[in-house]
Amino acid sequence: MARGPKKHLKRLAAPSSWMLDKLSGTYAPRPSPGPHKLRESLPLTIFLRNRLKYALNGREVTSIVKQRLIKVDGKVRTDTTFPTGFMDTISIEKSGEHFRLLYDVKGRFTIHRITAEEASYKLLKVRTVALGAKGVPHVVTHDGRTIRYPDPAIKVNDTLKFDLESGKITEFVHFDTGNIVMITGGRNMGRAGVITHREKHIGGFDIVHVKDSLDRTFATRISNIFVIGEGSKPWISLPKGKGTKLTISEERDLRRRQRAAEQ
């Protein structure tokens, strides 16, 4: 009989977006409870050790974070398994580096370096809009933030540009056809494109049709859609590949061209 919260995570049960190998150990770092769900997050340990290679093992990660060198969304985090997720900014001020967690077109978390200026804000997807105690309106975002007294025009599925320093919404963009989006779940995870059409299904899942820069169309549930800019201009810089998925043969041809250019 299970009593209390689970404290371990087997390596094979870890999300594939972490890209852990099968054989180097039985366990994986289990993310602490926090702003992102376990299967949609990346613990700091994996980011520092497996991605950036700044640490060789878990003990070195602990000594890095305990020196208060790592900031997530402008706040020092000393928990080695703190769950960072989509759109979070990670800053290492000692080395002057800033990263934003985004997916590549294969649905894996990628190392995306950004400028200090871009690290000062993040985009938030609105999950709920509600009235709280004493009639105070608030919105709840995809990373668990509750923001009081938002602009009354903000609706569910809209995207907010949120200043991390002041904790205020600077601007927002509606979920609307013609806006650029990134897919955060499902088979098309990590792809970017422009909304062409939204199918409403009463009692079911709304389906959104998206067209990417190569004029390829795909569809996904509305819950997997994250608006990242107005029109076709994104508010954030996109990782390598710009969210355009290539077929296997196109990837092969691209690799061959790069190799030929090197020689």
Side-chain angles (χ1 to χ4, degrees), residues 80-243:
T80 53
T81 52
F82 182 81
T84 58
F86 185 70
M87 280 293 162
D88 284 2
T89 63
I90 300 175
S91 304
I92 308 172
E93 290 189 349
K94 197 165 190 178
S95 61
E97 290 176 304
H98 303 276
F99 306 91
R100 191 184 297 284
L101 274 196
L102 296 170
Y103 296 113
D104 64 6
V105 286
K106 308 228 164 150
R108 306 172 300 206
F109 278 114
T110 180
I111 303 175
H112 180 54
R113 291 172 192 269
I114 54 174
T115 61
E117 183 195 356
E118 201 189 321
S120 66
Y121 67 88
K122 68 183 291 196
L123 304 186
L124 306 174
K125 178 180 174 177
V126 177
R127 284 266 162 90
T128 50
V129 179
L131 281 179
K134 298 182 181 167
V136 173
H138 66 269
V139 296
V140 179
T141 63
H142 80 283
D143 63 348
R145 289 171 198 269
T146 302
I147 304 169
R148 301 175 69 193
Y149 297 111
D151 187 310
I154 291 172
K155 300 276 182 285
V156 174
N157 295 324
D158 290 355
T159 291
L160 318 174
K161 193 173 184 180
F162 183 77
D163 188 281
L164 296 168
E165 189 75 24
S166 62
K168 298 273 194 301
I169 300 167
T170 51
E171 43 187 327
F172 66 93
V173 58
H174 285 302
F175 178 91
D176 212 349
T177 53
N179 285 342
I180 188 167
V181 298
M182 199 162 196
I183 313 298
T184 58
R187 280 201 58 191
N188 295 305
M189 208 160 159
R191 291 178 77 172
V194 170
I195 301 174
T196 55
H197 175 57
R198 172 183 176 178
E199 288 174 30
K200 291 200 174 179
H201 294 278
I202 307 300
F205 298 99
D206 284 11
I207 301 294
V208 178
H209 292 262
V210 180
K211 187 187 217 172
D212 68 9
S213 57
L214 295 177
D215 282 353
R216 291 178 182 151
T217 55
F218 53 95
T220 186
R221 288 180 180 179
I222 196 167
S223 56
N224 296 334
I225 295 272
F226 194 116
V227 182
I228 55 169
E230 209 163 354
S232 58
K233 189 159 174 30
W235 283 353
I236 54 163
S237 59
L238 294 176
K240 197 174 88 180
K242 301 280 181 261

